[in-house]
Amino acid sequence: MTQGIDVVGVYVRDQDEALAFYVEKLGFRVHTDVRNGDYRWLTVQHPEQPSFQLGLFKPGPPVHDAATAQALHEVVAKGAMPSLVLAVDNCRAAYERLNARGVEFTQEPVDRYGAVDAGFRDPSGNGWKMIEARPTKSQSRGAQ
Amino acid sequence: MNQSPELLRRLLRAKDRMDGASHEEWPVRRLAHVSSVSPAHFARSFKQAFGVPPHRYLLTRRIERAVALLRDTDLPITDIAFQTGWKSLGTFGRIFRDITGENPGNLRTRERSAPHGRRHMPECIVRAAHRPDLKTAVSEKRRRMTAERMENQSTEVL
């Protein structure tokens, strides 16, 4: 693929903390981690999705003035940024695994209209939906 | 006064817990414990962060769930009232009317007759979009409506 969306970023309150969360807990990999003075360009990747990077960016200089950075930190901490969606092939198994690693779940797996979804947050406050789509009819007969 | 992102993150945890179990009882003491804030400061901090007092936020979540159950299931209204956290059917009906402006039964009938295209939107977004907008306290809204009714000298049967 030569055209398409390559990097999408989320704001995090602490890049080391975010890196530990996305790599050690969610199982992502580091794609790029470079510094230029105080600035740190940090992106991670889902192991099965090499064409896409998730940026873990910290609001602050040189991109933001202090007041703007503070406002962005507040918005993230209030959970006001849009939710991200993680596609998984088994939501309940992923829930068990991530919950055991200490991921902060906001919603346990629920069956809804033939799909199972759960919700969690990263340490900064970014919300994630974890969704397992059920393609076949026989599988969608699961318990409510 | 600005709230620190660290405090906001802890207040968000209390909001998340109400979202996850709105049928449960959420006294200020319990919420304050989730947020590691003193009960004396919790309600004010929550309102400053999210624009509504915690109890009012909880009511909107319960009514939102009740609306979804009325729309999407055949559960009797009594069951829906108890499942969404009310202890009496009377209180449920009164607050439901105060917030949505109609009876649970009427809303069910109307929702089911209206076509909708919500299948392509994530469920959590749909629910947030249909969340009742409670800008004033329920009791205040009721008082104001009563006052208006008296002014209009209306005789309509409720």
Side-chain angles (χ1 to χ4, degrees), chain A residues 77-123:
Chain A
K78 282 197 229 191
M81 297 299 278
S83 283
L84 298 106
V85 178
L86 186 67
V88 291
D89 52 21
N90 186 331
C91 186
R92 289 176 203 282
Y95 168 79
E96 294 300 333
R97 192 172 63 247
L98 299 182
N99 198 35
R101 288 180 197 161
V103 171
E104 182 183 341
F105 274 87
T106 51
Q107 181 212 303
E108 292 179 8
V110 176
D111 239 297
R112 262 196 275 257
Y113 312 124
V116 187
D117 68 76
F120 63 87
R121 286 195 192 280
D122 77 4

Side-chain angles (χ1 to χ4, degrees), chain A residues 13 70 73-74 77-79 104 106 112-113 121-125 129, chain B residues 2-3 5 8-9 12-13 16 20 48-50 71-72 123-124 127:
Chain A
R13 64 185 182 186
Q70 173 69 18
H73 278 299
E74 288 174 11
K78 282 197 229 191
E104 182 183 341
T106 51
R112 262 196 275 257
Y113 312 124
R121 286 195 192 280
D122 77 4
S124 303
K129 274 277 161 189
Chain B
N2 275 351
Q3 292 176 290
L8 292 168
R9 183 65 182 85
L12 175 62
R13 205 159 280 142
D16 281 342
Q48 196 189 338
F50 300 112
R71 192 185 60 217
D72 301 334
E123 177 62 18
C124 53
R127 279 186 286 138

Side-chain angles (χ1 to χ4, degrees), chain B residues 94-158:
Chain B
R94 197 178 68 239
I95 293 186
F96 192 97
R97 273 192 302 279
D98 286 339
I99 291 178
T100 68
E102 60 188 326
N103 291 314
N106 290 353
L107 185 132
R108 173 172 262 174
T109 310
R110 190 175 51 72
E111 281 283 341
R112 290 190 169 180
S113 59
H116 56 72
R118 54 173 77 90
R119 197 168 301 163
H120 297 288
M121 227 190 265
E123 177 62 18
C124 53
I125 303 294
V126 173
R127 279 186 286 138
H130 287 263
R131 187 167 308 160
D133 194 10
L134 258 194
K135 293 216 174 62
T136 55
V138 172
S139 54
E140 191 182 322
K141 186 175 170 184
R142 192 181 311 145
R143 235 178 356 254
R144 211 170 46 221
M145 285 172 65
T146 309
E148 281 169 14
R149 267 202 306 278
M150 287 169 68
E151 271 173 31
N152 296 339
Q153 303 252 314
S154 162
T155 53
E156 65 182 300
V157 178
L158 289 177

Side-chain angles (χ1 to χ4, degrees), chain B residues 36-54:
Chain B
S36 308
V37 176
S38 79
H41 289 127
F42 179 81
R44 189 159 40 90
S45 304
F46 187 96
K47 179 165 193 267
Q48 196 189 338
F50 300 112
V52 284

